[in-house]
Amino acid sequence: MMKYTENYGSAPLSRDTVAAIMWAGPVMLSPAAQVNEAIERVRQAGLPQPGMNSCYVVAEDGVLLGALSLRDLLLNGGGIQVGTIMTRPFVTVQPEDDQELAAQLMDEFDLLELPVVDSGNRLQGVVTADDAMSVLTEEATEDMEVMNAITPSERPYLETPAVRLFLSRIPWLLLLMLSAAFTGGIIAHFEDALAAQAALTAFIPMLMDTGGNCGSQSSVTVIRGLSLGQIRFGDWLKVVWKELRIGFLCALTLAAVNLFRLQLCGTPLDVAAVVSLALGVTVMIAKLIGCTLPVAAKKLGFDPAVMASPFITTLVDGVSLLAYFRLAVRLLEM
Amino acid sequence: MMKYTENYGSAPLSRDTVAAIMWAGPVMLSPAAQVNEAIERVRQAGLPQPGMNSCYVVAEDGVLLGALSLRDLLLNGGGIQVGTIMTRPFVTVQPEDDQELAAQLMDEFDLLELPVVDSGNRLQGVVTADDAMSVLTEEATEDMEVMNAITPSERPYLETPAVRLFLSRIPWLLLLMLSAAFTGGIIAHFEDALAAQAALTAFIPMLMDTGGNCGSQSSVTVIRGLSLGQIRFGDWLKVVWKELRIGFLCALTLAAVNLFRLQLCGTPLDVAAVVSLALGVTVMIAKLIGCTLPVAAKKLGFDPAVMASPFITTLVDGVSLLAYFRLAVRLLEM
């Protein structure tokens, strides 16, 4: 039996525990019980919940030994001991684990029921697939909200008052607005350069947007991978190396297309070159920031989903404008 | 029996049908069969798949009449006719329906199995909860990818070659980069005004970022609501009215905080007023665009998830800069 409590996606923002969704009172059998007795026990005791289709085999001290579905009971002869036909559960969770962990394990291993045990492996309850589905849906919604600068809420949109929705959005907007002021500060710092080359201003939106988009692509990929347990902290070097290569290909393509377009539009070659170079640098930086911050957040115990589009965009904006103006000042000899 | 084929979230990008995940060959019983016979049938035939825990009651022509879990069989006496204890299935899907629809229904109604019928209501197969969980997870991942300008792929990140990941990202980046060039055109158009008031440039990132964030908040909320079936097309007026109120509150708060901050920084009052006013207008427009485009996309048969952060941001950028410069030219008498 394995216990999964580490290395799996468990977002600190969603500390809803397994205890809150597990069903207590599963039918427990001793390994020596015969199938006929087991069926009789199920008939007498019922099963605590429609979603439950298994009985559990436990030792005298309550330690979980295995599971039997009603299917197993029906398909086997009446005199067989349940201990000989039970399935040994290869994954279990504990009541204080995150619900998301339980749901992910059930998804990954195609389980309809997941036994919950205490630290001594004694059976405490069972999580059923119908509840796991709700958890998966809620957690995905929560991640999407956090990734778009919204404090998650479990209430459906149409039933939530406008003021509540406002309150779940405004703190993030304020924080990000004030952060963007720093980016503005960078522009103000290069005001003289901009005054000398007013045309440079027109490329700011393209640089900012492309940087933001490149960064969000990387961050959402890594955030989702972390959340599904497909990426672990130990993979960070592999992730960075992969994003560097993707970033290089993107930078090359975007810079080339941009240079070509600017030449078509009659932009002077030196300006076009500076803009394209700045674009390439921005793309590389954006991919790097986009893939490292979620992994770092995870390691530090924050919800990686916070490190998505809005946050990454704000950060990348500043870095890319800085690169842009520095390159312009240096290469255009302003 | 209801059939859900309309009004529910079925993203055109994910036309994976129910047929691909349904299990054929469920145990079918006539309504007159007794529980004992049913148990015998299950013993003989087995059940086609471990995730399946029900038998189905059908008429002679194969029309689905009801379902019985193994639990129902065990809990009832041997001589009872299954037709009298079966549950009438209140939701069914058809083989050509979207997998996502099946998974959403199972999630919403807490079902462990969902019967699949043809247009004549004849039982064709069964979708089980373990497969539905995988569908829910995949669809959420797909939505997140589309919402961040990535062509979805079902392969885990670490196993996908860098070139493939590059190809799934670059078309969107190119498209969005060229769109952002139009925004640059707006700035170029107002170059004289900017030359006269160079300080105005420094507020561009703050306006663009805040507009983008406001728009993504609205769009992701609506996209997820549409995808979960919590928002239908018929709700669009309610959605717009709600977003207008939220937008008004956000605009007021952000503009006020911004005005206060600029006053603290010693920005001339007229410039601060123009920036704050433009910010308020931007926020309102962003919220409106953010909530209407996904609903419109859905109505037109596109995947609403495309109308998320990157696309909305690019659009809002243009509109907000236009508003900003027009206000500046008018109010600062440039």
Side-chain angles (χ1 to χ4, degrees), chain A residues 52-69:
Chain A
M52 213 179 276
N53 282 297
S54 292
C55 311
Y56 291 85
V57 181
V58 294
E60 268 176 40
D61 51 2
V63 168
L64 178 65
L65 300 173
L68 281 144
S69 66

Side-chain angles (χ1 to χ4, degrees), chain A residues 76-99:
Chain A
N76 280 285
I80 296 177
Q81 288 192 334
V82 294
T84 62
I85 54 167
M86 69 185 185
T87 309
R88 274 163 222 286
F90 54 94
V91 285
T92 58
V93 287
Q94 297 198 2
E96 59 276 15
D97 284 337
D98 197 313
Q99 292 178 4

Side-chain angles (χ1 to χ4, degrees), chain A residues 136-158:
Chain A
L136 287 176
T137 304
E138 277 163 26
E139 295 291 338
T141 305
E142 199 179 294
D143 275 2
M144 288 181 199
E145 288 172 339
V146 172
M147 283 197 269
N148 287 278
I150 301 171
T151 305
S153 133
E154 284 179 14
R155 245 164 116 174
Y157 173 75
L158 288 176

Side-chain angles (χ1 to χ4, degrees), chain B residues 243-275:
Chain B
E243 287 300 318
L244 275 178
R245 282 176 295 161
I246 302 170
F248 182 72
L249 291 172
C250 288
L252 216 62
T253 313
L254 292 168
V257 171
N258 187 58
L259 193 64
F260 181 69
R261 183 185 74 84
L262 293 184
Q263 287 298 93
L264 276 188
C265 298
T267 309
L269 184 58
D270 55 351
V271 172
V274 163
V275 172

Side-chain angles (χ1 to χ4, degrees), chain B residues 233-249:
Chain B
F233 180 73
D235 298 322
W236 75 271
L237 254 177
K238 270 188 249 174
V239 171
V240 168
W241 172 230
K242 191 161 270 201
E243 287 300 318
L244 275 178
R245 282 176 295 161
I246 302 170
F248 182 72
L249 291 172

Side-chain angles (χ1 to χ4, degrees), chain A residues 12 14 23 25 33 39-40 50 60-61 87 90-91 93 129 132 142-143 159 193 202 212 226 246 258 286 306 319:
Chain A
S14 60
W23 294 91
I39 292 179
E40 206 42 53
E60 268 176 40
D61 51 2
T87 309
F90 54 94
V91 285
V93 287
E142 199 179 294
D143 275 2
E159 294 165 24
L226 285 168
I246 302 169
N258 187 59
V306 173
V319 180

Side-chain angles (χ1 to χ4, degrees), chain B residues 5-323:
Chain B
T5 45
E6 280 168 54
N7 272 331
Y8 249 86
S10 58
L13 264 183
S14 60
R15 280 309 303 173
D16 297 319
T17 63
V18 166
I21 54 162
M22 80 178 188
W23 294 91
V27 171
M28 302 196 204
L29 307 163
S30 97
Q34 292 178 353
V35 167
N36 273 343
E37 296 170 48
I39 291 179
E40 205 43 51
R41 275 288 305 287
V42 172
R43 282 207 174 116
Q44 281 162 19
L47 286 169
Q49 202 259 346
M52 212 179 277
N53 283 297
S54 292
C55 310
Y56 291 85
V57 181
V58 293
E60 269 175 39
D61 52 1
V63 167
L64 177 65
L65 299 173
L68 281 144
S69 67
L70 297 188
R71 214 165 159 272
D72 297 328
L73 290 180
L74 279 180
L75 296 184
N76 281 285
I80 297 177
Q81 289 192 333
V82 293
T84 61
I85 54 166
M86 69 184 185
T87 309
R88 274 164 221 285
F90 54 95
V91 285
T92 59
V93 287
Q94 298 197 2
E96 60 277 15
D97 284 337
D98 197 313
Q99 293 178 5
E100 193 174 7
L101 170 67
Q104 280 168 0
L105 291 172
M106 294 179 74
D107 178 20
E108 185 169 343
F109 295 107
D110 282 338
L111 306 175
L112 290 177
E113 289 180 34
L114 178 64
V116 183
V117 297
D118 65 12
S119 56
N121 247 328
R122 284 177 292 268
L123 185 63
Q124 304 295 305
V126 172
V127 178
T128 55
D130 49 341
D131 294 325
M133 277 195 278
S134 307
V135 171
L136 287 176
T137 304
E138 278 163 24
E139 295 291 339
T141 304
E142 199 179 292
D143 274 2
M144 288 181 200
E145 287 171 340
V146 173
M147 283 197 268
N148 287 278
I150 301 171
T151 305
S153 136
E154 284 179 14
R155 243 164 116 176
Y157 173 77
L158 288 176
E159 293 164 25
T160 315
V163 174
R164 276 202 85 85
L165 291 168
F166 161 71
L167 290 174
S168 70
R169 297 182 187 180
I170 193 71
W172 301 96
L173 291 176
L174 281 169
L175 181 74
L176 291 163
M177 181 180 79
L178 295 175
S179 316
F182 287 98
T183 314
I186 296 173
I187 295 187
H189 183 76
F190 287 93
E191 211 172 281
D192 295 343
L194 277 175
Q197 274 278 13
L200 289 181
T201 314
F203 302 108
I204 291 179
M206 191 267 294
L207 279 173
M208 283 177 54
D209 281 352
T210 306
N213 293 333
C214 286
S216 345
Q217 285 180 333
S218 303
S219 67
V220 77
T221 304
V222 173
I223 291 167
R224 187 62 176 162
L226 286 167
S227 161
L228 294 180
Q230 291 170 350
I231 298 176
R232 316 278 162 96
F233 180 73
D235 298 322
W236 75 271
L237 254 177
K238 270 188 249 174
V239 171
V240 168
W241 172 230
K242 191 161 270 201
E243 287 300 318
L244 275 178
R245 282 176 295 161
I246 302 170
F248 182 72
L249 291 172
C250 288
L252 216 62
T253 313
L254 292 168
V257 171
N258 187 58
L259 193 64
F260 181 69
R261 183 185 74 84
L262 293 184
Q263 287 298 93
L264 276 188
C265 298
T267 309
L269 184 58
D270 55 351
V271 172
V274 163
V275 172
S276 300
L277 194 57
L279 182 67
V281 172
T282 297
V283 170
M284 290 296 289
I285 294 172
K287 289 285 181 204
L288 211 59
I289 293 180
C291 74
T292 44
L293 284 193
V295 179
K298 173 88 182 174
K299 186 67 183 174
L300 295 172
F302 296 110
D303 185 352
V306 173
M307 299 299 169
S309 180
F311 189 86
I312 299 278
T313 299
T314 305
L315 198 62
V316 168
D317 282 353
V319 180
S320 67
L321 288 182
L322 207 59

